[in-house]
Amino acid sequence: MIKAAVMGYGTIGSGVVEVLETNRESVAKRAGDEIEVKYVLDLRDFPGDAIQEKIVHDYQVIVNDPEVSIVVETMGGVEPAYTFVKAMLEAGKNVTTSNKALVAEKGSELIAIAKEKSVNFMFEASVGGGIPIIRSLNSCLTADEIEEITGILNGTTNYMMTKMSEEGLEFDDVLKDAQEKGYAEKDPTADIEGHDACRKIAILTSLVCGQQVDFHDIHCEGITKVSATDIKYAKALGRAIKLLASSKRMDDSYCAMVAPCMLAPEHPLYSVNDVFNAVFVHGNVLGDAMFYGSGAGKLPTASAVVADMVEIAKHLNINIYVDWSSRKVSLSDYKQAFCSFFVRTTAEEAAVKECFGDVEFVRAEGITGELGFVTEQMTEAEYEEKAAKLSGILQMIRMK
């Protein structure tokens, strides 16, 4: 029997325990042995819960128990998760985590420690919840040079954009609805400002290029400035607004960005709605592929964690190679990337044409006192230069 420990008995941690219990027989069959949770680390006690007999409050109890070979980290945040996970790996224990903040900031270091100790540090659940994108990049797509990864990587913002599109609601109203339904946190900053998606695309880009991508270096915009008026224009154009996290090969590096975009119906992510996530991948040999599913939630995320546990159980004392070094990659300047732009302004048509040349003007029902237009393809830098000469710009959204 393989002994395991779970650090953090919140939504995901309790889900891991539930999945292991619910699918006990099938998990044991696939792992080659039964997996039993010996300890659950949490600051709290759970009187009346069957888990209480396994609760410990000191992570050193797990570190010092030679029976425990697999540790699950679902606490979130960088600290104390980093301290705890590092200690587990150095003690020769395998670790799997759903913690994107930890993986984005400390992933390369923890992978290196795992390799040194002939154990594994796995993190499938840190990016797409239940979507098996990381294992696919590490195992199934290794024959390809990945030229682009673009994803809807945050269920909260995708739900909000879908709700705004379907019901014509304003941002603040949709945020309140998302919080009431439990899709958005009390402090939703990480989701609505794009930070969550930014960490995830940093992880994916790191795996693709095999070097450390610092999420602080990625240009990041959230959805807080998207309005019901923007949605009306998007519908007039036959498009949908989504928060995209993208990484595309440019020269000898990658250009990464998180920002709202207007997607055409032929775009593979156009129809991804509600709390679902999807990741679009383009390889130089494979061509296009897309991974779709539940990007968050208790059981979908826990399912990905348990899948890592099964993989670890099949490779005890064998390190599974992950190409992610600590050498930091220098990202290409996003301002050199080409795009067309949707713009709203209070300026006159003549002034728009003088600044931007040949544009497509957009009319949306019920909107007066402003103009909407779509530019030709140009770099971000060129757009900024032209926009600086046009007064009254109210909004800009990229077109994909």
Side-chain angles (χ1 to χ4, degrees):
M1 181 178 289
I2 298 170
K3 301 289 187 179
V6 176
M7 300 194 296
Y9 196 63
T11 301
I12 308 305
S14 61
V16 170
V17 173
E18 182 178 337
V19 170
L20 286 171
E21 184 59 37
T22 302
N23 294 338
R24 177 180 293 275
E25 291 184 9
S26 60
V27 168
K29 182 178 179 180
R30 290 164 183 156
D33 201 349
E34 188 173 346
I35 300 176
E36 180 184 82
V37 175
K38 184 174 183 179
Y39 300 113
V40 173
L41 177 73
D42 205 283
L43 291 172
R44 302 161 294 174
D45 284 305
F46 299 86
D49 191 318
I51 205 68
Q52 180 59 40
E53 65 182 26
K54 299 180 180 181
I55 292 290
V56 295
H57 303 300
D58 183 355
Y59 77 101
Q60 291 289 348
V61 173
I62 302 170
V63 170
N64 294 322
D65 189 335
E67 276 196 342
V68 175
S69 57
I70 302 176
V71 179
V72 173
E73 185 278 305
T74 57
M75 297 183 296
V78 177
E79 284 292 359
Y82 167 67
T83 298
F84 293 1
V85 168
K86 184 179 180 181
M88 300 299 164
L89 293 171
E90 289 177 337
K93 302 181 188 300
N94 300 273
V95 176
T96 173
T97 180
S98 60
N99 187 343
K100 64 258 183 184
L102 173 68
V103 177
E105 191 161 320
K106 303 291 186 180
S108 62
E109 179 187 347
L110 296 173
I111 287 168
I113 295 171
K115 182 178 181 181
E116 180 187 339
K117 297 294 182 178
S118 295
V119 293
N120 289 292
F121 175 65
M122 305 189 79
F123 43 93
E124 182 63 69
S126 67
V127 170
I131 303 173
I133 180 61
I134 289 175
R135 188 165 287 110
S136 297
L137 288 176
N138 283 339
S139 303
C140 305
L141 301 177
T142 52
D144 274 71
E145 292 288 334
I146 304 300
E147 297 178 336
E148 180 183 355
I149 297 180
T150 298
I152 294 172
L153 299 177
N154 183 274
T156 299
T157 52
N158 203 44
Y159 170 82
M160 292 173 65
M161 289 292 91
T162 302
K163 193 82 170 174
M164 288 178 73
S165 180
E166 290 178 348
E167 301 183 19
L169 300 175
E170 289 291 356
F171 176 85
D172 289 341
D173 297 324
V174 173
L175 175 58
K176 183 179 179 182
D177 172 75
Q179 289 173 319
E180 288 173 352
K181 286 185 167 64
Y183 296 145
E185 302 287 344
K186 185 176 180 180
D187 179 2
T189 304
D191 293 326
I192 63 176
E193 293 292 357
H195 302 157
D196 176 78
C198 190
R199 287 183 172 90
K200 292 173 179 178
I201 198 65
I203 293 169
L204 293 177
T205 309
S206 296
L207 289 170
V208 166
C209 69
Q211 299 177 43
Q212 176 68 25
V213 174
D214 190 335
F215 66 89
H216 294 294
D217 294 339
I218 297 175
H219 179 74
C220 182
E221 300 173 18
I223 62 168
T224 56
K225 295 179 181 178
V226 177
S227 68
T229 300
D230 299 322
I231 298 292
K232 288 181 180 179
Y233 277 111
K235 287 187 173 182
L237 287 162
R239 291 175 174 255
I241 301 177
K242 305 288 186 183
L243 183 69
L244 294 191
S246 61
S247 178
K248 193 170 184 178
R249 184 182 287 276
M250 182 183 289
D251 300 323
D252 294 327
S253 184
Y254 283 82
C255 176
M257 176 188 292
V258 175
C261 296
M262 282 192 184
L263 304 185
E266 56 268 23
H267 194 288
L269 298 175
Y270 173 87
S271 299
V272 178
N273 292 318
D274 296 316
V275 295
F276 283 92
N277 283 193
V279 184
F280 166 79
V281 177
H282 179 83
N284 69 333
V285 177
L286 168 73
D288 296 342
M290 194 166 86
F291 302 81
Y292 170 86
S294 297
K298 178 177 179 176
L299 295 181
T301 305
S303 172
V305 173
V306 174
D308 274 352
M309 296 177 77
V310 169
E311 191 71 8
I312 287 169
K314 291 158 64 176
H315 295 86
L316 290 176
N317 304 311
I318 302 171
N319 176 257
I320 302 170
Y321 178 72
V322 178
D323 185 18
W324 181 351
S325 77
S326 59
R327 187 161 64 92
K328 185 177 175 181
V329 67
S330 180
L331 293 173
S332 297
D333 184 0
Y334 81 95
K335 291 188 178 183
Q336 300 308 310
F338 279 85
C339 192
S340 58
F341 302 85
F342 165 76
V343 184
R344 290 169 47 210
T345 179
T346 56
E348 300 293 331
E349 285 192 12
V352 170
K353 290 180 179 178
E354 184 179 346
C355 289
F356 283 92
D358 189 19
V359 301
E360 174 193 351
F361 288 101
V362 186
R363 312 293 178 186
E365 186 177 351
I367 298 175
T368 59
E370 64 175 69
L371 293 173
F373 65 92
V374 178
T375 73
E376 294 184 315
Q377 287 266 332
M378 63 184 71
T379 66
E380 296 265 350
E382 288 171 330
Y383 167 77
E384 290 184 8
E385 183 181 349
K386 293 175 185 294
K389 299 174 183 177
L390 183 67
S391 62
I393 290 183
L394 304 172
Q395 176 66 292
M396 179 276 281
I397 299 177
R398 294 165 184 86
M399 309 280 283
K400 297 288 185 182

